[in-house]
Amino acid sequence: MRTKPILANLSPYIPGKTIEEVKQSYGLEHIVKLASNENPFGFSDYVKSGLQQAVEGLEIYPDGYARELRTTLSNRLNVNEKQLIFGNGSDEVVQIICRTFLEPGVNTVMATPTFPQYRHNALIEGAEVREVPLDNGVHDLNSMLQQIDDHTRVVWICNPNNPTGTMIDHKAFESFMEHCPDNVLVVMDEAYVEYVSNTDFPDTLSALSSYDNLLITRTFSKAYGLAALRIGYGIASESIISNLEPSREPFNTSSLAQKAALLALEDQIFINETFKSTVETKKDLQIFCDNHGVTYYPSETNFLLIHLPISGDEMTEYLLRNGFIVRSGEALGIPNSIRLTIGKQNHMDKIMEAMSEKLSEGR
């Protein structure tokens, strides 16, 4: 049986080791996972109590239009209901965009390294991928503009960027949009927007009225703590959304996911507390890095990309043996680094102690 030739050159996504796998491999009883940028505080108790009632009716297909969630979110974002599309995580929204706009003979522009699913899905659709290296961890927007030609369909901007945590500011965003051809879709991936504290972060929602070629993706997987339920969304003009909808599976978000997202939106106290704790603990980690002479990219997310005097794999393995799962920068395209999710304060104190011991070796 023949498949698309490109699939022979692509690898499926391989998740990091689970907590149970690490326990068994290293003979440990307690493991702290700080590798996938999940919310260490879990999810809202308000969501948990409300979901218990939502378990009824699992034999019925979910609302393919997500009416209740759509209405609530559109009111909160001050957009029309028809400006929203929902996905099985924002990952699926990325897939839907690629399925709709990309094909052989066209190209798409993105940074490198950045969220890998842009490239992965674009290649599956047969499009040419044009990657522009980051400039000190930040999108090089001028160079990205230079890569756009008559065959460009989509430009991807992960803001803040994963895996570096860096952001482009409002001025840079406006300049890019002004110079980008209006027949090229610009996707602003804002998966970590709830963690941003910099006041110069672009107001992309307001920009929707000015740029018909703008699409924003967001998710409930990170700050809202609903990663297991897989629900995200896109926001754009009604015409873009109407183009995307035929590529969406009819029942792509579950009833439980829709209900959980709806409840999560009602508990902004949880989001505010998550944001405050993350910012405070991240500052402690940055001070730790400064004191140990290691650098890091300025982060507007719930993780820090830390540069090391040793390989990321070596530090990752050392931390695994000490009960911490982190992401090696070798796998992210940034050698000699690790990406470390900001966890609870007591966990961060312990991992900083372990990192200090490792960094002290050989000094």
Side-chain angles (χ1 to χ4, degrees):
M1 297 178 69
R2 297 182 63 182
T3 64
K4 290 182 177 180
I6 188 62
L7 294 177
N9 300 317
L10 294 178
S11 300
Y13 177 77
I14 301 176
K17 292 187 178 183
T18 66
I19 290 175
E20 290 305 316
E21 286 176 324
V22 175
K23 284 182 178 180
Q24 294 176 9
S25 298
Y26 294 88
L28 299 170
E29 294 184 3
H30 302 287
I31 300 294
V32 178
K33 185 183 177 188
L34 299 172
S36 301
N37 308 331
E38 297 146 331
N39 190 335
F41 306 104
F43 60 98
S44 162
D45 288 336
Y46 181 74
V47 173
K48 184 180 295 185
S49 60
L51 271 187
Q52 293 175 356
Q53 302 172 6
V55 174
E56 300 296 329
L58 295 185
E59 74 282 4
I60 300 172
Y61 282 106
D63 176 6
Y65 191 66
R67 286 171 177 79
E68 192 175 4
L69 175 59
R70 181 181 297 271
T71 299
T72 299
L73 191 58
S74 65
N75 289 333
R76 180 177 294 274
L77 300 177
N78 194 29
V79 298
N80 188 287
E81 292 182 8
K82 294 182 179 180
Q83 289 183 257
L84 295 170
I85 187 169
F86 293 92
N88 187 9
S90 57
D91 287 8
E92 192 195 20
V93 179
V94 170
Q95 184 185 54
I96 291 170
I97 293 168
C98 291
R99 181 183 293 177
T100 303
F101 290 98
L102 301 182
E103 59 188 334
V106 306
N107 67 71
T108 181
V109 178
M110 63 194 68
T112 183
T114 191
F115 186 55
Q117 291 306 106
Y118 313 146
R119 180 180 187 276
H120 185 87
N121 284 292
L123 290 173
I124 289 175
E125 299 302 329
E128 175 194 353
V129 174
R130 298 182 175 181
E131 296 179 296
V132 177
L134 298 173
D135 182 5
N136 196 28
V138 182
H139 282 68
D140 184 350
L141 296 181
N142 289 331
S143 295
M144 291 176 71
L145 282 172
Q146 293 173 15
Q147 290 295 317
I148 297 173
D149 61 20
D150 292 340
H151 301 289
T152 304
R153 292 275 185 86
V154 183
V155 176
W156 306 87
I157 300 176
C158 188
N159 198 40
N161 187 47
N162 178 13
T164 57
T166 54
M167 62 162 252
I168 63 167
D169 61 22
H170 178 78
K171 183 177 179 181
F173 165 73
E174 288 288 345
S175 177
F176 182 86
M177 294 303 299
E178 288 294 327
H179 289 89
C180 182
D182 57 14
N183 64 334
V184 174
L185 180 66
V186 178
V187 180
M188 297 293 293
D189 183 347
E190 298 182 347
Y192 297 92
V193 66
E194 289 85 7
Y195 290 106
V196 174
S197 59
N198 193 319
T199 56
D200 283 334
F201 191 76
D203 182 1
T204 51
L205 285 174
S206 295
L208 285 171
S209 60
S210 300
Y211 305 108
D212 291 334
N213 60 329
L214 175 63
L215 188 152
I216 307 160
T217 64
R218 294 182 178 180
T219 183
F220 288 93
S221 295
K222 302 303 181 183
Y224 287 97
L226 302 180
L229 290 178
R230 313 305 302 125
I231 186 161
Y233 58 98
I235 322 155
S237 66
E238 291 185 33
S239 61
I240 289 178
I241 298 300
S242 66
N243 286 330
L244 292 173
E245 280 291 354
S247 298
R248 180 181 64 82
E249 295 299 323
F251 304 108
N252 62 328
T253 59
S254 71
S255 298
L256 285 176
Q258 292 179 30
K259 182 62 175 180
L262 186 64
L263 292 167
L265 288 171
E266 296 176 12
D267 189 3
Q268 288 303 302
I269 293 177
F270 174 79
I271 294 298
N272 294 338
E273 291 175 347
T274 289
F275 169 79
K276 181 180 178 181
S277 296
T278 301
V279 170
E280 291 176 352
T281 308
K282 183 166 58 179
K283 287 180 180 177
D284 291 341
L285 179 58
Q286 291 169 329
I287 292 172
F288 166 86
C289 291
D290 294 339
N291 291 340
H292 285 76
V294 292
T295 61
Y296 50 88
Y297 287 127
S299 172
E300 291 294 329
T301 64
N302 67 331
F303 62 83
L304 202 65
L305 197 289
I306 303 173
H307 304 285
L308 302 168
I310 58 176
S311 78
D313 288 346
E314 184 178 348
M315 178 62 82
T316 298
E317 177 65 21
Y318 181 82
L319 293 175
L320 273 175
R321 296 185 180 281
N322 282 270
F324 296 96
I325 307 174
V326 302
R327 193 72 188 272
S328 171
E330 319 303 311
L332 300 171
I334 307 178
N336 290 15
S337 71
I338 59 170
R339 191 188 65 189
L340 176 57
T341 305
I342 308 301
K344 294 180 179 179
Q345 185 65 60
N346 60 323
H347 294 153
M348 296 304 293
D349 289 341
K350 292 179 180 178
I351 196 171
M352 286 189 286
E353 181 179 347
M355 289 175 64
S356 180
E357 293 172 355
K358 182 62 177 176
L359 291 170
S360 297
E361 291 181 3
R363 288 187 177 179

